[in-house]
Amino acid sequence: MVYGYIRVSTDGQTTENQKIIIKNYCKFRHLHHIRWISETVSGIKNPEKRKLGQLLKEVNSGDIVIITEISRLGRSLMMIMNVLQTFMDRGVQVRAIKEGYELGNNIQSKVLAFAFGLSSEIERQLISDRTKAGLIRAVKAGKKLGRPKGKKSSRYKLTGKGGQIYRARLAGKSKSEIARELGVTWVTLHRYMAKQKIK
C-alpha cells in the first residue's frame, strides 16, 4: 500500500500543493493507488493525537509512506526520529521528497536515523553547556539576567535574512540545506519561516 501523508498547520493553509507534489512523484516512479491521509494540525501535537498516529498503527511491512518533506512528521527532531523509528520497525519505507530521503528497514536508514538522533543529542548538550557558561559569566559580571517583564525580543538569529531564504526556496533548496548555509539549526529556520510566512 502507498500512503500519501499531508499535514498543514492552520486552516489558512491548503493541502493541495503537497498533494500535487506527491502525485507527480508517484507518477514518475509508477506508484499507483495512493491512499491519502490529510490533516490540519500543529506538528507540536503528539502523533498519537493526530491522524499520523492511526497511520503508524495501520501500516504493514512493505508499505510506503510518502511526504513532501520530513517536517510534515513533527516539529521537533526527536518527535520525527520516533516516528521514523516506528515506521522502520514495522518494515515501512518513508520517502521525503524534498530532502530525497528513502528510509526503510535497512542498514543505511538505521545509520541515518542514528546520526539524526546523535546530532540532536550533541546539539542539545552543547547549547546547554554554552548557556550555563554564559549565565555564570554574566552573574559574575553583575548583570541582571532575563528580559524585562512584558518585553519581547525584536531580533532573531535570522533577522534580515528573509529575502535570502525566500530566494533559496524558489531555487528549490530544502530547509536543511538553507539552515546549513546560514549556520543555524533546522528548527530555528523553520520557526523563522513560519513567522515570516515563507513556504
Side-chain angles (χ1 to χ4, degrees), residues 3-14:
Y3 294 89
Y5 176 71
I6 297 171
R7 181 184 66 77
V8 293
S9 299
T10 66
D11 291 326
Q13 295 177 315
T14 175

Side-chain angles (χ1 to χ4, degrees), residues 5-196:
Y5 176 71
I6 297 171
R7 181 184 66 77
V8 293
S9 299
T10 66
D11 291 326
Q13 295 177 315
T14 175
T15 61
E16 195 57 32
N17 287 345
Q18 291 182 45
K19 196 167 189 177
I20 290 169
I21 291 170
I22 293 174
K23 275 184 176 179
N24 290 339
Y25 176 90
C26 290
K27 184 177 180 181
F28 183 75
R29 285 159 181 78
H30 307 291
L31 298 170
H32 308 289
H33 309 298
I34 309 164
R35 181 172 175 188
W36 297 101
I37 309 292
S38 178
E39 59 184 337
T40 301
V41 62
S42 170
I44 297 173
K45 199 168 186 178
N46 286 334
E48 296 78 18
K49 297 179 180 178
R50 292 154 47 191
K51 289 182 183 178
L52 178 59
Q54 184 58 41
L55 177 61
L56 286 166
K57 295 175 185 174
E58 190 176 312
V59 288
N60 296 303
S61 181
D63 288 345
I64 300 172
V65 175
I66 303 173
I67 49 181
T68 55
E69 56 187 307
I70 208 78
S71 65
R72 297 304 90 202
L73 299 178
R75 285 287 293 275
S76 76
L77 189 56
M78 291 312 297
M79 183 186 292
I80 292 170
M81 289 310 307
N82 288 334
V83 171
L84 290 175
Q85 188 63 57
T86 302
F87 278 133
M88 286 191 285
D89 288 345
R90 302 199 65 170
V92 174
Q93 187 178 108
V94 178
R95 299 188 184 182
I97 298 171
K98 288 185 180 178
E99 291 87 355
Y101 297 146
E102 291 191 6
L103 306 175
N105 192 18
N106 54 54
I107 189 64
Q108 292 90 346
S109 297
K110 289 176 181 177
V111 168
L112 182 58
F114 174 77
F116 274 143
L118 182 60
S119 63
S120 176
E121 185 64 36
I122 292 171
E123 182 182 25
R124 280 198 307 276
Q125 188 60 51
L126 289 173
I127 290 171
S128 175
D129 290 346
R130 286 197 300 267
T131 302
K132 288 174 184 175
L135 289 173
I136 290 169
R137 285 195 301 271
V139 169
K140 285 182 177 179
K143 290 185 179 179
K144 289 185 178 180
L145 301 179
R147 187 182 299 145
K149 190 174 181 180
K151 186 176 180 182
K152 292 185 178 179
S153 174
S154 61
R155 289 191 62 81
Y156 301 89
K157 286 183 180 179
L158 295 172
T159 296
K161 303 284 187 181
Q164 184 179 345
I165 294 168
Y166 180 73
R167 288 190 295 274
R169 290 296 278 169
L170 284 179
K173 290 188 178 181
S174 70
K175 291 182 183 179
S176 298
E177 289 176 301
I178 299 170
R180 281 195 297 272
E181 288 176 4
L182 295 175
V184 298
T185 66
W186 185 93
V187 174
T188 297
L189 176 65
H190 182 76
R191 286 177 181 163
Y192 181 78
M193 288 177 66
K195 285 180 183 293
Q196 300 299 316

